Amino acid sequence: MTILVPITLFGWVPSVLLLFMWLPPRRAVITAFMVGWLCLPAATFELRGLPDYSKMTATCAGVLLAAVVFDFDTLLSFRPRWFDLAMFVWCFSPFVTNEVEGIDMWDSMSWSVYQLITWGMPYFIGRVYFTDAQSLKELAIGFVVGALCYIPICWIEIRLSPILSNLVYGIEGGYSGMRLGGWRPQGLMASGLMLAMWMTGASLLGIWMWYTGALTRIGKRNAGWLLLALLVTTIFCKSTGALLLMVSGLGCLFVIKQIRRATPILLMCLPAIIYPTIRAGAYWDGMQMVQLAEATVGRERAQSLEFRLQNEDILSTKALERYWWGWGRFGRSRVLNEWGKDISVTDGQWIIALGMSGVVGLAAVTMIYLLPVIRLWWRLEGPLWADPSFAAVTGFAVILTLCSVDNILNAMLNPVITVVMGGVNGATLRPIAAAQSEPAEAFEATLPLRKSASRRALWPPPRVGAAADRQTTSQ
């Protein structure tokens, strides 16, 4: 570990303060999250009496502190609503879990602070800064630009192996093996899988916005060619699961456009609900999935999947001994043999949540991902999902469903995705303002309530301003 690790991590918070002095608040938030998450080292410092300090802590706490100092009025605009309850439960369930298990209050506070930093802070930022179509489009463009900036890094590591983290910060990259004549890149993230999911989400979002006409240029460049380069790079990140998710997400959006109904998005939500239910309840052993993996991607990958399923079986059996609130932290939910050796491996977010926080925690973390999507489905009519005004919102909704599916087998926290959760939830709370223009005036496209009015009354939206005044006068 080089001296750059503490310099960058501990220097990031004052850097974010400078960003807020230089840029408009929302633009500063986007820049801070993107640069912080993509460029800070994947390292952790243990601070006595305080939560561990990592890139997650630096990124989230830095933005919130800067917002308190420079844009406190925006933070005061937050009003809790019923759909924020899932995040509240997820952040504060440690108090109930530890009370049931007889663990001291200090650990309850420490655990809740960790949940607030990694989940609550970015969700809160999303709720107050990204509450309409235009702001979510800015966030989407920042997401795509961040991935475009990572293209050279990806190709260097595809050719030479994951070396950047070691060269810059002295942190060894994770070994992921040779695939398709090259390495799986990692960049400055914790794993190659995490980078692959980032590139996958950016590719999906960029392609959908370009297809709908919401994104035609990035800077002075044609967006189509840049997005083609991004897509090729994403493919060469060599993550089969991430690529399948991207194809599924794009397929869902294109089907919605063709049938003019948003029902397919509900089908995308089902795996994150059904899989934990049937696996924890021992209704399905998953061997059909192993056989399919062996036939499609090879015996080695199938054995890895089978190993995961075997661990899920023993972990879920122990987790259900503390059905409602779980076992808590410090490995209490893990399985030990007769000699006290840990024989379990936790991979998926769902099995970790079930073991630590029980069924209540699992339900809360699942709804954190899916409730914004379900609420958007309820508020936005199918024909409008492919409208340029709402392309960023609908693209983000699909990304949330893909992340919920990915968490079945992986547990990769990304604060930008958590910001998206808060943003989509906030955007469906009130009308989504989308800037459009006509030859003489601009008008607002508001997000309609489903089944609240006829389709003719919903779209196109009524004009406001001088044109409406002239029409009233003429009548």
Side-chain angles (χ1 to χ4, degrees):
M1 183 181 298
T2 67
I3 190 63
L4 280 177
V5 174
I7 290 176
T8 52
L9 279 181
F10 290 99
W12 183 243
V13 173
S15 298
V16 176
L17 293 173
L18 293 176
L19 275 177
F20 269 73
M21 295 174 63
W22 180 39
L23 297 173
R26 185 187 298 151
R27 193 69 59 84
V29 168
I30 296 171
T31 304
F33 269 106
M34 299 303 168
V35 176
W37 191 245
L38 292 174
C39 298
L40 291 180
T44 300
F45 288 90
E46 295 183 1
L47 303 179
R48 187 185 181 106
L50 295 172
D52 293 345
Y53 188 78
S54 63
K55 68 186 297 181
M56 176 74 76
T57 310
T59 303
C60 299
V63 171
L64 186 60
L65 176 62
V68 168
V69 174
F70 294 102
D71 197 27
F72 193 60
D73 289 343
T74 299
L75 302 185
L76 292 179
S77 68
F78 174 73
R79 297 292 183 272
R81 299 298 295 265
W82 64 269
F83 49 79
D84 298 318
L85 182 61
M87 182 61 73
F88 180 86
V89 171
W90 181 238
C91 289
F92 293 101
S93 62
F95 285 96
V96 182
T97 298
N98 285 354
E99 179 65 24
V100 172
E101 291 298 304
I103 301 175
D104 62 85
M105 182 64 69
W106 177 255
D107 179 68
S108 301
M109 295 179 63
S110 174
W111 187 4
S112 283
V113 168
Y114 170 79
Q115 296 286 73
L116 284 169
I117 291 173
T118 56
W119 295 88
M121 283 185 184
Y123 178 85
F124 174 70
I125 292 295
R127 280 279 277 110
V128 297
Y129 276 103
F130 304 100
T131 56
D132 54 56
Q134 185 60 34
S135 61
L136 284 169
K137 182 179 178 180
E138 290 182 32
L139 180 61
I141 293 173
F143 199 120
V144 173
V145 170
L148 289 172
C149 293
Y150 243 58
I151 289 178
I153 293 173
C154 290
W155 283 105
I156 290 172
E157 295 198 337
I158 288 169
R159 181 65 181 87
L160 300 177
S161 79
I163 60 172
L164 185 64
S165 182
N166 190 24
L167 287 177
V168 177
Y169 294 120
I171 299 174
E172 291 290 340
Y175 177 78
S176 55
M178 295 283 290
R179 293 185 183 178
L180 302 177
W183 300 83
R184 174 188 286 171
Q186 177 179 326
L188 297 174
M189 295 193 179
S191 69
L193 290 174
M194 184 175 288
L195 175 58
M197 280 301 297
W198 178 276
M199 302 297 282
T200 293
S203 296
L204 182 149
L205 196 58
I207 291 170
W208 179 242
M209 292 176 67
W210 172 79
Y211 176 78
T212 58
L215 182 64
T216 57
R217 305 191 70 81
I218 299 176
K220 297 182 180 180
R221 304 274 182 184
N222 185 298
W225 292 108
L226 293 175
L227 293 173
L228 178 61
L230 178 60
L231 177 61
V232 172
T233 304
T234 300
I235 294 172
F236 276 87
C237 285
K238 306 180 184 72
S239 176
T240 305
L243 291 175
L244 289 175
L245 289 175
M246 182 182 68
V247 172
S248 300
L250 287 172
C252 175
L253 288 168
F254 288 131
V255 169
I256 290 174
K257 183 181 185 300
Q258 291 300 317
I259 68 175
R260 298 174 65 82
R261 293 181 179 274
T263 307
I265 196 66
L266 295 183
L267 300 179
M268 297 287 289
C269 295
L270 292 180
I273 299 174
I274 294 176
Y275 183 90
T277 302
I278 62 178
R279 290 289 293 134
Y283 300 115
W284 181 51
D285 61 5
M287 293 310 298
Q288 293 86 347
M289 195 162 56
V290 174
Q291 294 169 1
L292 178 63
E294 184 174 2
T296 55
V297 296
R299 179 59 185 165
E300 182 180 352
R301 304 292 297 278
Q303 288 177 336
S304 175
L305 177 60
E306 186 176 8
F307 178 75
R308 288 177 180 236
L309 294 175
Q310 291 171 350
N311 278 275
E312 287 180 358
D313 289 336
I314 61 176
L315 286 165
S316 61
T317 299
K318 181 171 182 180
L320 294 180
E321 295 176 13
R322 298 290 190 273
Y323 186 86
W324 290 110
W325 297 101
W327 289 89
R329 296 198 297 177
F330 305 118
R332 291 166 55 86
S333 62
R334 302 178 74 87
V335 179
L336 309 179
N337 62 15
E338 58 269 30
W339 296 286
K341 182 180 179 181
D342 188 352
I343 58 172
S344 58
V345 177
T346 54
D347 288 304
Q349 177 68 47
W350 78 270
I351 195 65
I352 296 172
L354 181 64
M356 295 176 62
S357 302
V359 172
V360 173
L362 175 59
V365 76
T366 302
M367 285 299 100
I368 288 170
Y369 282 93
L370 299 185
L371 196 55
V373 181
I374 296 171
R375 293 186 64 242
L376 184 65
W377 166 81
W378 182 253
R379 293 291 305 274
L380 191 63
E381 292 284 2
L384 300 184
W385 277 62
D387 188 273
S389 300
F390 310 117
V393 188
T394 55
F396 275 138
V398 171
I399 287 175
L400 290 181
T401 65
L402 300 185
C403 288
S404 72
V405 175
D406 182 66
N407 282 343
I408 291 174
L409 295 178
N410 301 301
M412 295 183 294
L413 298 182
N414 186 327
V416 178
I417 298 301
T418 314
V419 170
V420 170
M421 298 173 192
V424 177
N425 253 338
T428 51
L429 175 64
R430 65 189 90 181
I432 295 182
Q436 296 193 3
S437 61
E438 287 189 341
E441 70 273 350
F443 62 87
E444 284 190 344
T446 58
L447 182 65
L449 288 168
R450 290 176 68 92
K451 305 179 181 65
S452 63
S454 66
R455 181 161 296 168
R456 183 177 180 83
L458 297 179
W459 192 261
R463 296 187 178 96
V464 297
D469 292 340
R470 289 195 298 270
Q471 184 177 3
T472 304
T473 303
S474 63
Q475 291 176 354

